[in-house]
Amino acid sequence: MTAEEDDTGRSVDATDTEVTGAGATATPAAKPIVPVVLLALAAAGLWASSRMTWVTVYSADGLTEPRTDDLNGGVWFGALTPLALVLVASIAAVFAVKGVLRQLLGVVISVVAAAAAVPGFALAVGAGRTADRAGTLAELPVRAVVSSADTHLGPAILSIAAASLALAAGILLTRRTGERTEEVSDRYDNPVFRKADASAAVSKQNAETGTAAPLSDRVLWDALDAGTDPTDTPDTPGADRGPAGENK
């Protein structure tokens, strides 16, 4: 245990960071590690899905050999790769913003996640005219006719899973658990709040007539600075009150 001098020259315990009974604890703010990991996995999943084949289209024009075209995720849904890049950029943004701005970032990420999940979900449930869309995206000749189109559910499901991870990250970022911890720490670091909390803790201990746990020297000195006498108990006459253990 180490000791240091405060701004008044008194020796205080450097590890004394609690005000017993006042509810203020100086603890470091929680880092958004889990959301960042989820965003990294989501971005990787979307990028991988954009490079995989989503639809294979078969066509023939009656003049040449039948044609087969593989359409990857980036072609089937052009925004898939940009959305993956947005998630990568949001990782840096998570560390750059705090408080309400981080909550707003979480909302934006949730919207991006929802948009990224739509094409994969539509393909998985067979919504839309897949063959016609595949023929258009394959840029077939005017005379070509699409004979069939095969869908590959693996990449679509991967994009849905990646979007779900991004959605979970967005929801976590909208919570302010870590920010509340930081606010409590900031409150304790402020001398005005620290002395007020110490005064409240001493008053509570005095009212409990010795049944509460002993307070630290740091708390007692802060209470004295705030004008609260730690020895002022119901059993102590007013004329005999005075600072206990005061160092002149």
Side-chain angles (χ1 to χ4, degrees):
M1 181 178 297
T2 60
E4 61 182 7
E5 289 189 352
D6 64 5
D7 53 0
T8 61
R10 293 190 297 266
S11 177
V12 296
D13 186 359
T15 62
D16 182 16
T17 59
E18 293 187 355
V19 178
T20 305
T25 304
T27 55
K31 301 297 182 181
I33 301 300
V34 174
V36 167
V37 171
L38 292 177
L39 287 174
L41 293 175
L46 289 182
W47 183 87
S49 178
S50 70
R51 296 295 179 265
M52 301 171 68
T53 300
W54 283 42
V55 177
T56 300
V57 56
Y58 303 94
S59 62
D61 59 9
L63 299 177
T64 60
E65 293 292 329
R67 175 175 169 176
T68 301
D69 293 279
D70 293 325
L71 306 177
N72 61 28
V75 174
W76 187 256
F77 181 54
L80 198 61
T81 301
L83 289 178
L85 296 177
V86 169
L87 294 182
V88 172
S90 66
I91 294 176
V94 167
F95 292 104
V97 298
K98 295 180 180 179
V100 177
L101 291 179
R102 183 175 287 178
Q103 288 182 297
L104 292 177
L105 177 62
V107 174
V108 172
I109 291 174
S110 299
V111 173
V112 171
V118 170
F121 181 78
L123 188 67
V125 299
R129 305 176 63 178
T130 302
D132 292 343
R133 175 177 170 79
T136 301
L137 294 176
E139 298 180 350
L140 301 176
V142 176
R143 62 179 181 274
V145 176
V146 176
S147 56
S148 64
D150 296 337
T151 59
H152 304 273
L153 295 182
I157 293 176
L158 176 59
S159 70
I160 296 174
S164 299
L165 294 177
L167 179 61
I171 293 175
L172 289 176
L173 289 174
T174 59
R175 301 172 58 186
R176 296 190 62 188
T177 303
E179 298 300 326
R180 292 192 188 101
T181 303
E182 185 176 13
E183 289 170 2
V184 172
S185 178
D186 291 341
R187 174 182 172 86
Y188 182 80
D189 291 336
N190 189 311
V192 176
F193 291 123
R194 189 180 69 241
K195 292 176 183 179
D197 291 337
S199 178
V202 168
S203 298
K204 179 179 179 181
Q205 185 190 56
N206 291 344
E208 293 176 354
T209 63
T211 59
L215 298 176
S216 63
D217 291 342
R218 175 62 177 273
V219 175
L220 296 178
W221 281 117
D222 286 338
L224 283 172
D225 289 341
T228 301
D229 189 350
T231 64
D232 186 10
T233 63
D235 298 331
T236 304
D240 298 333
R241 291 197 298 265
E246 182 177 358
N247 295 327
K248 298 293 184 180

